[in-house]
């Protein structure tokens, strides 16, 4: 039996997320009902609300969206710097061998 590949859904628009969070907070319905009505998982709604609470300062048990973006940027920059350092080490070793001296 072959597995079918599911294509990942494109991200939901910010307006959709904001409206979903507003419904969770204000509608009086349960998160399960709202998730079913919107066609998203309950966990997705929980995650969106938690992130919104982190971003607004209502929670402090995680990273804000801005902090996550900065962390991704710094990790990418760190990876590039490590790669550049490795290239420089190899180049120094190559030129040291060519001139018969040690780096």
């Amino acid at each position: 039996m072959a597995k079918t590949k599911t294509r990942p859904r494109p991200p939901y628009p910010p307006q959709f997320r904001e409206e979903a969070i507003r419904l969770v907070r204000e509608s009086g319905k349960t998160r399960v009902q709202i998730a079913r009505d919107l066609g998203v998982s309950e966990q997705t709604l929980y995650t969106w609300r938690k992130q919104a609470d982190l971003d607004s300062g209502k929670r402090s048990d995680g990273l804000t969206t801005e902090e996550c973006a900065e962390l991704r940027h710094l990790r990418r920059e760190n990876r590039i710097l490590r790669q550049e350092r490795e290239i420089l080490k190899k180049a120094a070793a190559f030129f040291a061998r060519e001139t018969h001296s040690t780096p």
Side-chain angles (χ1 to χ4, degrees), residues 37-77:
D37 291 346
L38 296 176
V40 299
S41 72
E42 181 185 0
Q43 181 62 43
T44 297
L45 280 181
Y46 172 80
T47 303
W48 290 349
R49 181 175 181 183
K50 179 181 177 185
Q51 192 62 53
D53 288 347
L54 287 166
D55 290 345
S56 68
K58 292 180 183 177
R59 294 180 73 137
S60 61
D61 60 338
L63 298 175
T64 65
T65 301
E66 186 177 304
E67 291 168 332
C68 287
E70 180 181 11
L71 183 58
R72 272 192 309 276
H73 170 76
L74 291 172
R75 284 181 174 165
R76 185 179 315 114
E77 184 177 1

Side-chain angles (χ1 to χ4, degrees), residues 79-97 102-103:
R79 185 178 63 249
I80 291 167
L81 290 171
R82 287 175 190 259
Q83 290 170 346
E84 290 173 350
R85 186 185 66 203
E86 287 302 312
I87 290 169
L88 289 173
K89 278 184 182 179
K90 290 176 183 178
F94 173 79
F95 288 116
R97 278 193 310 272
T102 57

